[in-house]
Amino acid sequence: MLIGPLVFTTMALGVSSMGDVRKVGRVGVKALIWFEAMTTVALALGLIVARVVQPGRGMHIDPSTLQSAALPAAATTSQTAAEHFLNIVPDSIIGALTTANVPQIVFVALLVGLALAAMGPKAAPLVRGLELFGALLFSVMGLVMFFAPLGAFGAMAHTIGKHGLASVGSLLLMMLTFYGTALCFVVVVLGLVLQVLGLSIFRLFSYIREELLLVLGTSSSESALPSLMTKLESAGIHPSVVRLVVPTGYSFNLDGTCIYLTMATSFVAQALDIQLTLGEEVTILGVLLLTSKGAAGVTGSGFVTLAATLSTVGRVPVAGLSLLLGIDRFMSEARASTNIVGNAVATIVVARWEKAVDLDVIADKLGQRGR
């Protein structure tokens, strides 16, 4: 019910905001370059780890037992490449939303976002309207998520009852693999980045520990947005950089969500015994580079983005997401925590790149002696 409108609003707003970011000059361009680099690394890391560990292997679930109305017809019928691309163009803008055809919704959202960016200040009322509509949809999502524990209980009970206790081991392996991959990304990838700047990732953890605890409690990285910005400005980073990079990063730099998206896609495919070729995995990676920019830092948005991605690719049934429903909540804390650390590091990197921070000052704030 919510996937279509949410994908449309978040992607249209995300694409339109890229024009605003570029208009602010060097800082915006540098931020977008960094965001794209890190999200690509996160997506690729999740895909590689899932391919090596194969947490869904051995479940042998029949896809036909999972068919539901959530699975579009395009995913179950054979199409030529030409037919696939032609079907992305809807008969009407409203038709794309009413039929819940996610590839068509993505296509329309891209066009609308580009048009809004091209219109400039004249588009401000339309953008504001979309933002309010998006806020309304996420409010509805909040009501749905209030009952999510019941859904998770039912999904977990059904999975275990239908597929046996062995499925618990696969789900647990998926959770542990995701947590380990997210920790590896933060400590190794982001840690090396900060080490090059003479800073410590563990000192950063300590500095933003209140924000991390808030994120762990709410499973939403957006809950810590104001206090994170205040902390980074207090560390000596120029406010103009913080106020641009951090809010933009909440749409374009969700590293934890990116890791989850590729790992979850691979897990569902493995559980359904769908053998993805390297080319298909690269295609999924390419699609995720786009759809991940439509994710938001709120609870439940990662699941919506994953559904949109599977609908767009069509190789893996969307109904397979029911396998993850029981454990999604347990992984949302790791997603949100990785997201907030990634945005903090991105702000420091862009500020250093722009010479808008004294590393000795920020090192002192982090409890280090300086570079």
Side-chain angles (χ1 to χ4, degrees):
M1 179 181 70
L2 293 172
I3 287 172
L6 277 171
V7 170
F8 173 78
T9 53
T10 53
M11 289 202 66
L13 288 170
V15 174
S16 67
S17 67
M18 288 184 68
D20 295 332
V21 172
R22 284 195 293 267
K23 287 177 184 176
V24 302
R26 298 187 313 270
V27 178
V29 173
K30 290 174 181 177
L32 288 176
I33 291 173
W34 181 258
F35 293 161
E36 198 58 44
M38 285 297 100
T39 53
T40 302
V41 171
L43 287 168
L45 180 62
L47 195 62
I48 292 170
V49 172
R51 189 180 179 90
V52 172
V53 179
Q54 297 189 4
R57 183 181 59 181
M59 295 186 74
H60 304 303
I61 295 174
D62 183 359
S64 64
T65 64
L66 301 173
Q67 297 302 312
S68 70
L71 181 59
T76 59
T77 58
S78 178
Q79 293 180 321
T80 66
E83 289 172 337
H84 176 75
F85 285 111
L86 286 174
N87 285 334
I88 290 176
V89 183
D91 293 329
S92 69
I93 291 178
I94 302 300
L97 293 172
T98 57
T99 58
N101 188 313
V102 177
Q104 292 183 358
I105 293 171
V106 171
F107 177 77
V108 173
L110 282 172
L111 291 180
V112 171
L114 291 171
L116 290 173
M119 289 172 65
K122 292 188 296 183
L126 293 172
V127 172
R128 179 57 180 161
L130 274 178
E131 288 174 344
L132 289 173
F133 184 55
L136 171 64
L137 292 173
F138 276 114
S139 181
V140 176
M141 172 69 79
L143 295 175
V144 174
M145 293 303 294
F146 180 79
F147 295 97
L150 292 176
F153 171 81
M156 182 69 78
H158 176 268
T159 300
I160 297 173
K162 188 175 182 63
H163 306 292
L165 286 173
S167 61
V168 177
S170 297
L171 293 172
L172 181 60
L173 179 59
M174 171 62 189
M175 286 177 53
L176 294 177
T177 303
F178 172 69
Y179 268 82
T181 306
L183 183 63
C184 177
F185 178 83
V186 170
V187 174
V188 177
V189 178
L190 298 182
L192 286 175
V193 170
L194 286 185
Q195 190 173 31
V196 170
L197 299 179
L199 303 174
S200 167
I201 188 69
F202 299 105
R203 293 286 185 176
L204 179 63
F205 291 161
S206 178
Y207 184 63
I208 62 171
R209 59 184 177 276
E210 290 86 0
E211 288 70 30
L212 287 173
L213 289 173
L214 180 60
V215 166
L216 285 172
T218 61
S219 298
S220 169
S221 53
E222 280 197 346
S223 60
L225 174 60
S227 57
L228 177 65
M229 294 174 67
T230 301
K231 280 279 184 75
L232 292 174
E233 289 180 14
S234 299
I237 301 175
H238 197 279
S240 63
V241 175
V242 174
R243 293 169 191 176
L244 171 69
V245 177
V246 175
T248 307
Y250 272 67
S251 291
F252 294 95
N253 191 45
L254 300 175
D255 300 325
T257 302
C258 288
I259 294 171
Y260 166 78
L261 291 173
T262 46
M263 292 195 70
T265 301
S266 297
F267 173 82
V268 173
Q270 292 162 9
L272 302 182
D273 291 326
I274 297 174
Q275 300 296 323
L276 295 175
T277 65
L278 181 59
E280 287 172 334
E281 290 182 335
V282 171
T283 299
I284 291 172
L285 182 63
V287 171
L288 284 170
L289 284 173
L290 177 63
T291 55
S292 63
K293 303 304 181 290
V298 298
T299 302
S301 62
F303 214 70
V304 170
T305 304
L306 181 57
T309 302
L310 296 184
S311 296
T312 303
V313 175
R315 184 74 170 86
V316 182
V318 179
L321 293 184
S322 61
L323 300 173
L324 289 167
L325 184 58
I327 61 171
D328 181 74
R329 176 71 184 186
F330 298 106
M331 295 189 287
S332 61
E333 289 88 351
R335 289 200 301 263
S337 300
T338 305
N339 291 341
I340 192 173
V341 175
N343 282 323
V345 172
T347 306
I348 295 171
V349 170
V350 173
R352 174 57 177 165
W353 196 355
E354 190 63 17
K355 294 182 174 61
V357 63
D358 187 329
L359 288 183
D360 289 329
V361 174
I362 194 172
D364 182 64
K365 278 287 184 179
L366 296 183
Q368 298 177 236
R369 294 183 175 180
R371 289 193 300 151

